[in-house]
Amino acid sequence: QLIVNHLRAKKIEDPTDPVLPPTISKDKSKSSDLPSDLQPVAATSSYITTSHEEGKHRVCRGGNVNSFSFLGFSPALDGERSYFWKCNIVTLRNEDWLFLGLICNQNPSQNSYSDSTSFGWASSTQHYIAGIDTRGDGWTKFEQGEVLYFRLQDHVLTMHSTLKNLSFSIPNIPNDPCIHFNLYHNNTVVELEPLSMLEKSEAGW
């Protein structure tokens, strides 16, 4: 929009008072959706399967045994940039457990949510900061059909729930974190994809 407004002004500018080009802020110039080469790189359970189509990663937790299962994505996110993505919870039975967030350790145990480099939110009001459950920020649980918008900016991870119309933030995210899921129950399906400009606007970003 800055560029469009500049071109409009150029058409009617006074030659004695030229219109200067717009200034794009440092934060905007370093904005990014997700790395173009993002891909799942580690899983602690053979029950997790992934697929990728049209920019969307689909993560499925199969099998008939419930257990914590880590999945990470590479490459790590550059701490000097801003990133935006969303998670669509396609299938999640009532009260089933799920973790969504970031982690710096790319080779954690299956209980990755409690790793000292893990930050994010899980079901049952859980809110993890450096692997410690610090409930009390108002978060409740994930629900089937819910869409979550995420932003990593200035070392702050923010999650916005479109269903609840609420946002939650975790500060002091270390450098080079990776997007991080942990799925417990079978038949859980989550999709990961970049956030559109309209969706950023909906979240106030």
Side-chain angles (χ1 to χ4, degrees):
Q1 187 64 47
L2 285 173
I3 295 173
V4 171
N5 291 339
H6 172 67
L7 293 175
R8 287 172 177 165
K10 287 288 288 183
K11 292 182 68 175
I12 59 175
E13 71 177 343
D14 182 344
T16 64
D17 185 20
V19 177
L20 297 177
T23 300
I24 300 175
S25 71
K26 180 179 178 181
D27 287 342
K28 292 290 185 181
S29 67
K30 289 193 173 185
S31 173
S32 179
D33 291 319
L34 283 175
S36 59
D37 55 345
L38 188 77
Q39 59 182 338
V41 293
T44 59
S45 171
S46 60
Y47 293 133
I48 288 186
T49 60
T50 64
S51 60
H52 181 244
E53 185 177 354
E54 297 181 352
K56 180 185 300 184
H57 293 271
R58 187 178 179 91
V59 179
C60 303
R61 173 66 166 79
N64 54 13
V65 176
N66 294 326
S67 62
F68 293 110
S69 304
F70 160 77
L71 178 69
F73 289 84
S74 181
L77 306 182
D78 182 352
E80 298 302 315
R81 302 181 70 90
S82 299
Y83 292 93
F84 303 86
W85 66 97
K86 71 177 179 180
C87 292
N88 308 310
I89 301 179
V90 179
T91 306
L92 186 71
R93 296 174 301 181
N94 189 36
E95 304 300 329
D96 277 3
W97 192 90
L98 171 67
F99 173 96
L100 301 174
L102 298 172
I103 194 168
C104 295
N105 180 7
Q106 295 194 35
N107 189 31
S109 71
Q110 64 182 18
N111 303 98
S112 56
Y113 57 90
S114 62
D115 187 274
S116 63
T117 68
S118 173
F119 301 81
W121 295 266
S123 305
S124 304
T125 73
Q126 295 170 325
H127 168 218
Y128 286 91
I129 298 178
I132 299 174
D133 181 4
T134 56
R135 307 181 194 204
D137 71 339
W139 171 246
T140 54
K141 63 179 180 179
F142 294 118
E143 300 180 50
Q144 181 168 299
E146 189 168 17
V147 180
L148 291 311
Y149 297 169
F150 288 86
R151 177 183 65 181
L152 178 64
Q153 186 175 61
D154 298 328
H155 297 280
V156 176
L157 175 64
T158 301
M159 178 181 72
H160 176 77
S161 167
T162 61
L163 178 66
K164 302 175 179 68
N165 194 27
L166 293 172
S167 295
F168 309 88
S169 295
I170 300 175
N172 304 318
I173 303 297
N175 289 325
D176 303 322
C178 297
I179 294 175
H180 164 210
F181 295 172
N182 197 299
L183 299 78
Y184 182 81
H185 292 89
N186 57 10
N187 299 320
T188 297
V189 180
V190 181
E191 293 176 339
L192 166 68
E193 59 183 309
L195 208 58
S196 71
M197 292 298 294
L198 177 59
E199 289 164 335
K200 292 176 189 177
S201 177
E202 289 174 355
W205 299 340

